[in-house]
Amino acid sequence: MTDTLNNDTAGAGVNDAGYATFTAGGFTFRRDEYFATIEWPTGSHQLAIDSFLRSMQRDVAWGFFYGIVNFDEVFGTMNHYGNVDMFAGRFNEAYRKAEVDYSENFDHDVLIECFKAILSDWTNEGYDPFAAPMETGSAFGPSKGTNDAAVTRRRVVADRMVGVPGDEQIRSDETGFPINRGFEDVPQDEPIVRAEAGYEDEVCSFNLFAYLSRSDVTWNPSVVSACKESLYCPTTEEYILPVIHGNDRVEWFVQLSDEIQWDVEDRDTGAKRARVVMKAGDVAAMPADIRHQGYSPKRSMLLVWENGSPRIPEMIAKGEATVHPVDF
Ligand code: PHB
Ligand code: FE
């Protein structure tokens, strides 16, 4: 496991554009006005900086998420829950064949600190990697200020259900966030609960659509209810899911409004497997051996339903659980 981690900000270590360079194990990260450049012992790769920062933002906020977070078809991370692989070309058939793929294992805390430092240093004032492109400033250009308030935003994680007494999360009418321009037609009235005497603290409901209509982030599922390992993680989407997510478990999607198109590929090779067009009311299950990326032409609401059990990858490996949600 690699625990070497450096950035060369000590000394005069910023480049002409004003950005620090970072290293983690055999990987080096540099940014210029337009690109992030990643180098590893057998190759190098460039990503447009806006897209790189959007992916980095998700990887950091989600603590490397379930399974694999591909920033694009070359670079990404694979979560082993406690430690994490950072890779280049590992899930790309051409890189594998040419034997230029590379992967290194890191302690979770070590790599997340490195990624947080990159995100903080490389995000300029006015650019919010969580926001839809039309709702934020530019990621490009020389280093100019920071936007730590945006990049350190915490994801909403309910222990029970939003609004239930004892849960820290609050309902839509109390968030103080404005209704998003895409959701001005969403009714804001809250359900009326008439509980039997003595049950006032146990019966609860809230308007999920109103709640989501005020979300100021995109592609960032938040846990709004938890029932044992069953997690309801709705999110609001616009433009492109910044990462290509490689599943390590089945997950369900319920399209709550508007439309998202999904590209579904083989998780290991990237070979195309399906294109799924989901309209409001559609339900889809994503198998555990694919990777996917979503496209939302307008702001839309999506419910991601996850089984958060830490045992699932192991159960699949042992053949105790299938990669298909349903066997017809
Ligand atoms: C997913 O990878 O399944 C995913 C991630 C973020 C979203 C929606 C879906 O906002
Ligand atoms: Fe996914």
Side-chain angles (χ1 to χ4, degrees):
M1 190 183 295
T2 307
D3 59 12
T4 48
L5 180 65
N6 289 298
N7 75 58
D8 66 5
T9 44
V14 296
N15 62 17
D16 290 349
Y19 297 104
T21 296
F22 297 82
T23 63
F27 287 88
T28 302
F29 296 84
R30 295 176 217 285
R31 103 149 260 191
D32 58 32
E33 294 187 13
Y34 281 120
F35 302 109
T37 302
I38 307 172
E39 290 165 326
W40 61 94
T42 52
S44 66
H45 184 60
Q46 269 162 327
L47 296 98
I49 193 62
D50 58 334
S51 146
F52 175 87
L53 291 173
R54 283 195 285 267
S55 295
M56 185 58 96
Q57 177 70 80
R58 285 15 179 232
D59 215 13
V60 166
W62 304 344
F64 305 118
F65 206 34
Y66 297 113
I68 302 164
V69 168
N70 298 284
F71 284 42
D72 64 358
E73 64 285 355
V74 174
F75 176 78
T77 57
M78 181 174 191
N79 198 355
H80 300 294
Y81 310 98
N83 62 84
V84 56
D85 294 338
M86 175 156 65
F87 61 79
R90 177 162 164 197
F91 299 100
N92 181 306
E93 205 165 23
Y95 278 68
R96 299 282 285 197
K97 277 197 182 136
E99 297 182 7
V100 291
D101 60 300
Y102 186 75
S103 178
E104 229 177 291
N105 186 261
F106 295 83
D107 176 75
H108 172 108
D109 296 344
V110 169
L111 195 61
I112 209 103
E113 285 312 313
C114 173
F115 279 15
K116 282 182 184 168
I118 293 174
L119 194 56
S120 172
D121 189 79
W122 290 7
T123 303
N124 288 324
E125 108 198 355
Y127 181 65
D128 177 356
F130 266 133
M134 282 199 281
E135 296 185 339
T136 189
S138 168
F140 301 110
S143 177
K144 186 165 178 284
T146 56
N147 196 0
D148 283 347
V151 303
T152 61
R153 262 202 209 86
R154 280 190 52 233
R155 185 155 64 131
V156 176
V157 180
D159 297 320
R160 300 173 63 202
M161 188 181 93
V162 167
V164 169
D167 194 274
E168 64 168 295
Q169 302 309 329
I170 51 177
R171 301 176 353 163
S172 61
D173 47 351
E174 297 153 2
T175 59
F177 287 110
I179 298 166
N180 183 268
R181 76 195 199 293
F183 294 138
E184 269 154 15
D185 56 344
V186 174
Q188 298 292 314
D189 50 315
E190 290 292 332
I192 297 163
V193 178
R194 294 199 186 86
E196 205 56 47
Y199 292 91
E200 292 86 349
D201 286 349
E202 292 176 40
V203 187
C204 179
S205 70
F206 74 110
N207 182 345
L208 177 64
F209 286 88
Y211 181 84
L212 290 175
S213 72
R214 295 165 188 270
S215 166
D216 66 337
V217 293
T218 59
W219 306 104
N220 189 36
S222 295
V223 181
V224 300
S225 76
C227 183
K228 296 187 180 163
E229 308 285 10
S230 171
L231 309 177
Y232 266 7
C233 315
T235 153
T236 59
E237 320 296 46
E238 188 171 325
Y239 192 53
I240 307 174
L241 171 58
V243 307
I244 309 169
H245 179 222
N247 285 12
D248 67 0
R249 64 198 63 215
V250 167
E251 65 183 334
W252 291 80
F253 291 158
V254 181
Q255 189 68 39
L256 297 178
S257 86
D258 302 277
E259 179 175 318
I260 297 178
Q261 295 143 24
W262 291 94
D263 271 338
V264 183
E265 302 172 339
D266 182 88
R267 186 187 52 199
D268 298 328
T269 65
K272 297 286 173 202
R273 269 184 52 179
R275 183 154 172 86
V276 180
V277 180
M278 296 190 68
K279 296 180 192 291
D282 287 347
V283 179
M286 293 285 162
D289 60 353
I290 56 98
R291 66 193 199 192
H292 55 197
Q293 186 166 37
Y295 299 78
S296 187
K298 282 177 58 194
R299 192 94 151 189
S300 72
M301 296 182 184
L302 173 71
L303 176 62
V304 180
W305 182 23
E306 296 278 2
N307 184 327
S309 166
R311 284 204 56 235
I312 291 182
E314 178 197 326
M315 288 171 73
I316 291 174
K318 285 184 177 159
E320 294 167 17
T322 71
V323 295
H324 300 112
V326 187
D327 284 317
F328 292 104

